[in-house]
Amino acid sequence: MGGVTSSMAAKFAFFPPNPPSYKLVKDEATGISVLDPFPDRENVDVLRIPTRRGNEIVAVYVRNPMATSTLLYSNGNAADIGQMYELFIELSIHLRVNLMGYDYSGYGQSSGKPSEHNTYADIEAAYKCLEESYGAKQENIILYGQSVGSGPTVDLASRLPRLRAVVLHSPILSGLRVMYPVKRTYWFDIYKNIDKISMVKSPVLIIHGTNDDVVNCSHGKQLWELCQEKYEPLWVKGGNHCDLELYPEYIRHVKKFISTVEKTPSRRNGSRRSTDGIEQLRQSTDHYEPPRRSMDQRDKPRRSTDTREKPRKSTDTREKPRKSTDRPPRLKFHEYTKFNSIDKLEKLKVSLDRMERMERSRRSVEYHDKSSRSNDQQLEKGRKSVDWLDRIRAD
């Protein structure tokens, strides 16, 4: 059942653009790969990177001569790097960072098929490339995860204690919690950020739109509460799931965050190179994970502390739309409940409810068994007392 359920969750989670928004072309004169139809840029490298699961992913690396940090960007589930390309260029310029973006397995011109475990291998391969090909150090790398991209981002960040920082953009608590408000973590769930975020030792910035109709803003707020090293979050008033880059406060807040972490000396120590840490600290995502008690269950609901900034006197709250964010409606993040899969979701809901009832029944039976054993013990004590009195009378 688990494999079937996980496969169904994966179908809800991944929507690679079809056809891909770009072609990978090799310049015959230079032998350099370029993304067609984008013009060749001197400060942009186009790469093919092998992963530990046998796939080959396509990535772009954007240089900024003023950069002291490198940002590794894991995008949402309905876009490839062709659609993100112009945004990557703009972020590199405005944030003064080197930036690597990559396509998940099965996206764009990357080989393989998209899956949770493949995305974990994909981000590890991109991270390793940053270290080995560009000399980036763990202390200077910022992981950035958007939507489904928060899954591989949190997973990797939980195993790298000396990262400079982490940015989570419209993140999810877990894949199943987007579809159904479960109160515990099931073993077949995917991207269990709720159980991993507390293991991230780096400063974490969370950004979420208050009007997000795909991943409710409560996902971002709950993750923020569970962070070890919180940074002032950005709750974009009126922001939806795919338009936060269009709000002026977005770029201001991210820029302020990066400036802050670059000035703050790292308090996280470690002696090994971080690629060794990936191999040694990985709780292998290729194997079965035992069920964990969810943070939903451990922590009683807190009163929400609305940390939104007070509205500023704003002129026009939106910038001119960027080409990279002009995506057709069908390319939005997995609108779980808007596809012709309502019947499947209802079946999943019934199955989860049944599991909850079975769990309650099991606990009830255990309680009655304990009570029965306790009564038997008391009766046995009473019988021994009567035997003892009979012996005294006989004497």
Side-chain angles (χ1 to χ4, degrees), residues 173-221:
L173 287 167
S174 74
L176 191 58
R177 285 174 174 84
V178 178
M179 296 188 286
Y180 184 72
V182 294
K183 296 300 182 183
R184 55 169 292 188
T185 294
Y186 292 92
W187 58 271
F188 53 80
D189 200 356
I190 64 173
Y191 297 131
K192 303 165 192 171
N193 292 340
I194 188 172
D195 295 326
K196 298 176 183 178
I197 189 65
S198 61
M199 295 184 281
V200 176
K201 293 180 171 59
S202 312
V204 179
L205 165 63
I206 294 183
I207 306 168
H208 218 120
T210 60
N211 287 1
D212 194 323
D213 60 0
V214 178
V215 179
N216 191 275
C217 190
S218 60
H219 285 241
K221 290 185 176 181

Side-chain angles (χ1 to χ4, degrees), residues 188-381:
F188 53 80
D189 200 356
I190 64 173
Y191 297 131
K192 303 165 192 171
N193 292 340
I194 188 172
D195 295 326
K196 298 176 183 178
I197 189 65
S198 61
M199 295 184 281
V200 176
K201 293 180 171 59
S202 312
V204 179
L205 165 63
I206 294 183
I207 306 168
H208 218 120
T210 60
N211 287 1
D212 194 323
D213 60 0
V214 178
V215 179
N216 191 275
C217 190
S218 60
H219 285 241
K221 290 185 176 181
Q222 190 169 348
L223 287 173
W224 182 78
E225 289 177 350
L226 297 171
C227 290
Q228 277 193 38
E229 196 166 340
K230 302 175 177 67
Y231 184 82
E232 178 188 1
L234 175 62
W235 313 127
V236 181
K237 188 173 182 180
N240 208 313
H241 194 70
C242 296
D243 64 356
L244 301 188
E245 303 94 336
L246 304 181
Y247 290 79
E249 56 265 40
Y250 162 81
I251 199 69
R252 285 199 301 265
H253 204 81
V254 177
K255 189 172 184 178
K256 178 184 174 184
F257 173 64
I258 292 177
S259 177
T260 300
V261 296
E262 286 180 341
K263 292 176 182 177
T264 305
S266 174
R267 298 189 299 274
R268 300 171 297 282
N269 297 319
S271 57
R272 298 181 183 272
R273 281 185 60 83
S274 49
T275 47
D276 295 336
I278 290 178
E279 297 302 324
Q280 294 179 4
L281 296 177
R282 180 189 301 124
Q283 297 175 352
S284 178
T285 53
D286 297 334
H287 296 84
Y288 166 80
E289 293 184 13
R292 303 171 180 146
R293 286 190 63 193
S294 165
M295 296 304 296
D296 289 333
Q297 207 170 34
R298 285 198 292 267
D299 295 340
K300 294 181 179 179
R302 302 179 177 89
R303 289 186 178 179
S304 176
T305 54
D306 192 350
T307 55
R308 286 178 289 182
E309 298 177 354
K310 294 181 179 180
R312 300 183 178 90
K313 293 181 180 179
S314 173
T315 50
D316 183 4
T317 59
R318 295 173 183 254
E319 296 174 349
K320 185 177 180 180
R322 301 182 175 93
K323 179 179 179 181
S324 56
T325 56
D326 291 340
R327 302 169 190 150
R330 68 182 181 87
L331 294 181
K332 277 190 175 183
F333 178 96
H334 49 85
E335 297 176 333
Y336 289 111
T337 58
K338 296 181 183 178
F339 289 87
N340 58 355
S341 53
I342 301 302
D343 291 340
K344 292 182 181 179
L345 291 180
E346 287 301 322
K347 290 179 182 178
L348 179 60
K349 179 178 178 181
V350 170
S351 175
L352 293 172
D353 289 340
R354 186 178 302 143
M355 291 173 70
E356 294 285 0
R357 289 197 298 272
M358 290 173 63
E359 179 69 12
R360 287 196 294 270
S361 298
R362 184 184 64 79
R363 291 176 181 174
S364 177
V365 170
E366 289 177 353
Y367 172 77
H368 287 301
D369 287 345
K370 290 179 181 178
S371 299
S372 178
R373 287 196 297 270
S374 177
N375 290 335
D376 291 343
Q377 289 172 356
Q378 290 177 1
L379 289 171
E380 180 65 19
K381 288 180 180 178

Side-chain angles (χ1 to χ4, degrees), residues 40-54:
D40 183 27
R41 293 174 180 263
E42 290 185 0
N43 68 322
V44 177
D45 295 340
V46 179
L47 311 163
R48 282 188 176 274
I49 307 173
T51 78
R52 61 179 171 82
R53 290 175 66 87

